[in-house]
């Protein structure tokens, strides 16, 4: 059986797993698979069952990440890890993360069916809690694996259960005491490569008419989940010169950050600004009051560490300018960060060559999103990504990846693994 025939033969398996995780996460109108909770646990169990059927060896590390290993008879080089995540945001889509884990299963199944023996161990990773919605910190599974958890992270509360990250990890069979040692669970120097398949989070591939892309880089980010603006409550008739309006300060801050974004892109420096939360206090806001309190969240991202640092400095300056203009105080509050993730040049070339051999049109694009791949790249692991066409972006119920496009990505992945 040719590899192309073997890939096609795995379509029912891949579709069954995609449908399976959709059933597990069903939360109309979208999908919710809670990290370190029932949804993520059940999805891991489904993937582990598929791995067992292929004869893969399962293990769980101290972060409760699942690894399924296909051992090479005589490994010639360090192992390749193929990974992504199974959790979702609340009422998101089915394919963000899960498609990448399932792609690893599909690629190994196809190589086995084609009778191709690996030159190195191949491992499929189902990494925990990639989405920041659950603890206010993203990429947690890969942070655990590579000792990249920030100080205090294990004490963060779960958004639904209130249990700390340490308690949540222990509940799922992990070992928070081992994580507190702050040493990698896997030596990055002993990992040959990390590969991730992920749906694209912008319509660039729809625009290009291509089923997949070779990723060039993922952005890093700086996040402030709870920016708090404090002014002074007042009557709605208060003249403008007396006001310390926290809501208008929030608007000024947001629009100033948008101007920064447009200016940077005009200079050829890609970045993004996202205001995810933007509100006066729900318990006290009123039609007939000037709000003295306002809260918003900020995700600031860029593809280069120096650029990201420069943007963070501009954030500080803009914040001070708005606070002075509106006579309010602005506390940026809690901060988390993820390093940018440039892809390995050799893997970019290797995946491009594999795509050509498969007859697949695969342009090279930046990813709009940060992924677990960022942590592997930051740890010095050669890292590569394939982005799969997806009609409606991600983090919404309307993700629209077509299975044939995922199968094309699996073909390219398997072709690269076979060389």
């Amino acid at each position: 059986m040719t590899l192309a025939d073997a890939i096609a033969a795995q379509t029912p398996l891949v579709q069954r797993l995609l449908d399976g995780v959709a059933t597990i996460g069903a939360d109309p109108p979208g999908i919710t698979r809670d990290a370190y909770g029932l949804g993520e646990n059940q999805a891991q169990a489904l993937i582990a069952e598929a791995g067992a059927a292929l004869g893969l060896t399962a293990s769980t590390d101290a972060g409760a990440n699942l690894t399924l290993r296909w051992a090479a008879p005589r490994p010639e080089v360090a192992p390749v890890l193929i990974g992504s995540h199974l959790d979702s945001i609340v009422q998101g889509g089915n394919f963000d993360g899960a498609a990448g884990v399932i792609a690893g299963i599909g690629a190994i199944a196809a190589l086995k069916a084609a009778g191709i023996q690996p030159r190195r161990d191949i491992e499929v990773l189902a990494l925990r809690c990639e989405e920041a919605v659950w603890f206010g910190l993203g990429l947690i599974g890969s942070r655990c694996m590579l000792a990249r958890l920030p100080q205090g992270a294990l004490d963060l509360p779960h958004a639904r259960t209130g249990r700390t990250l340490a308690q949540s990890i222990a509940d799922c069979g992990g070992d928070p005491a081992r994580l507190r040692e702050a040493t990698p669970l896997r030596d990055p120097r002993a990992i040959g490569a990390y590969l991730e398949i992920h749906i694209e989070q912008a319509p660039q591939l729809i625009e290009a008419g291509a089923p997949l892309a070779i990723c060039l880089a993922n952005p890093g980010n700086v996040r402030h989940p709870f920016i708090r603006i404090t002014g002074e409550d007042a009557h709605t008739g208060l003249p403008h010169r007396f006001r310390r309006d926290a809501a208008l300060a929030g608007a000024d801050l947001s629009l100033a950050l948008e101007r920064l974004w447009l200016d940077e892109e005009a200079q050829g420096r890609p970045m993004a600004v996202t205001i995810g939360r933007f509100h006066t206090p729900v318990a006290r806001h009123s039609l007939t009051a000037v709000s003295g309190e306002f809260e918003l969240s900020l995700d600031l991202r860029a593809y280069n560490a120096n650029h990201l640092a420069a943007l963070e400095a501009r954030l500080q300056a803009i914040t001070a300018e708005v606070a002075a203009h509106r006579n309010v105080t602005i506390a940026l509050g809690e901060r988390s960060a993820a390093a940018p993730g440039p892809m390995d040049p050799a893997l970019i070339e290797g995946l491009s060559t594999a795509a050509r051999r498969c007859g697949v049109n695969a342009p090279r694009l930046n990813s709009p999103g940060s992924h677990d791949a960022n942590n592997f790249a930051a740890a010095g692991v050669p890292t590569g990504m394939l982005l799969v066409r997806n009609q409606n972006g991600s983090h919404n119920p309307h993700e629209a990846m077509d299975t044939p496009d995922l199968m094309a990505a699996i073909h390219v992945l398997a072709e690269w693994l076979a060389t």
Side-chain angles (χ1 to χ4, degrees):
M1 180 183 293
T2 68
L3 182 56
D5 290 338
I7 294 291
Q10 305 316 312
T11 302
L13 168 64
V14 168
Q15 190 63 59
R16 177 176 65 80
L17 293 174
L18 290 172
D19 293 344
V21 292
T23 299
I24 288 167
D27 184 15
I31 296 290
T32 302
R33 290 188 291 266
D34 49 330
Y36 292 109
L38 185 62
E40 190 180 55
N41 289 344
Q42 289 183 339
Q44 272 206 1
L46 178 70
I47 296 301
E49 180 183 0
L54 290 170
L56 308 184
T57 302
S59 61
T60 302
D61 68 15
N65 297 305
L66 172 67
T67 298
L68 302 171
R69 183 169 61 93
W70 181 22
R74 291 177 297 278
E76 300 171 15
V77 287
V80 170
L81 279 52
I82 304 165
S84 197
H85 62 101
L86 294 169
D87 66 312
S88 75
I89 66 163
V90 176
Q91 293 186 331
N94 188 46
F95 306 118
D96 184 347
V101 180
I102 292 167
I105 295 290
I108 288 177
L111 291 169
K112 281 178 166 279
I116 297 172
Q117 290 285 350
R119 297 189 305 111
R120 51 193 157 194
D121 291 357
I122 300 174
E123 303 178 23
V124 176
L125 305 183
L127 295 162
R128 290 279 186 168
C129 193
E130 193 264 6
E131 303 291 1
V133 65
W134 301 110
F135 291 94
L137 177 71
L139 315 178
I140 286 177
S142 53
R143 289 179 189 270
C144 288
M145 184 174 286
L146 299 165
R148 299 184 67 82
L149 283 174
Q151 186 174 7
L154 290 169
D155 299 319
L156 292 170
H158 192 285
R160 283 194 168 174
T161 68
R163 291 179 67 74
T164 67
L165 176 57
Q167 291 168 332
S168 302
I169 288 172
D171 292 344
C172 296
D175 182 2
R178 170 66 180 84
L179 298 175
R180 291 187 192 279
E181 297 174 9
T183 56
L185 307 180
R186 296 285 297 264
D187 182 354
R189 297 166 298 181
I191 300 172
Y194 173 81
L195 297 174
E196 185 166 349
I197 292 179
H198 204 283
I199 58 170
E200 197 203 0
Q201 294 165 306
Q204 297 176 103
L205 287 169
I206 298 294
E207 184 179 66
L212 60 95
I214 312 298
C215 182
L216 294 172
N218 296 329
N221 62 60
V222 172
R223 288 172 169 166
H224 291 278
F226 300 105
I227 298 175
R228 296 173 177 88
I229 302 177
T230 304
E232 187 172 50
D233 291 340
H235 188 278
T236 49
L238 188 71
H240 190 278
R241 66 185 181 278
F242 298 120
R243 291 198 182 198
R244 299 178 60 215
D245 191 320
L248 289 180
D252 282 353
L253 178 59
S254 300
L255 291 173
L257 288 170
E258 184 188 33
R259 288 193 294 273
L260 171 65
W261 182 5
L262 295 175
D263 289 346
E264 289 294 302
E265 292 219 326
Q267 297 298 319
R269 296 187 289 266
M271 60 164 292
V273 170
T274 301
I275 309 294
R277 295 171 47 255
F278 189 82
H279 57 87
T280 50
V282 175
R284 296 184 57 248
H285 60 189
S286 168
L287 175 65
T288 58
V290 175
S291 181
E293 297 178 44
F294 198 82
E295 192 171 288
L296 65 151
S297 67
L298 173 65
D299 180 301
L300 186 67
R301 56 185 53 196
Y303 292 90
N304 174 277
N306 291 335
H307 187 204
L308 192 59
L311 292 173
E312 192 166 12
R314 288 289 298 129
L315 169 64
Q316 297 286 343
I318 289 169
T319 298
E321 291 164 8
V322 171
H325 174 67
R326 291 288 178 184
N327 193 21
V328 299
T329 60
I330 303 177
L332 293 176
E334 298 92 327
R335 176 189 181 276
S336 67
M343 298 297 106
D344 180 75
L347 284 175
I348 291 172
E349 292 301 327
L351 291 169
S352 296
T353 299
R356 286 194 295 272
R357 287 200 298 263
C358 295
V360 174
N361 176 26
R364 299 181 182 189
L365 297 171
N366 284 328
S367 169
S370 299
H371 305 286
D372 287 300
N374 289 51
N375 283 328
F376 285 91
V381 177
T383 300
M385 283 191 71
L386 297 175
L387 305 173
V388 183
R389 180 166 52 189
N390 169 47
Q391 178 75 44
N392 299 319
S394 69
H395 287 194
N396 68 73
H398 308 297
E399 292 175 3
M401 181 197 73
D402 291 330
T403 303
D405 290 344
L406 180 61
M407 298 310 299
I410 292 172
H411 192 180
V412 172
L413 174 62
E415 179 70 29
W416 184 86
L417 289 169
T419 56

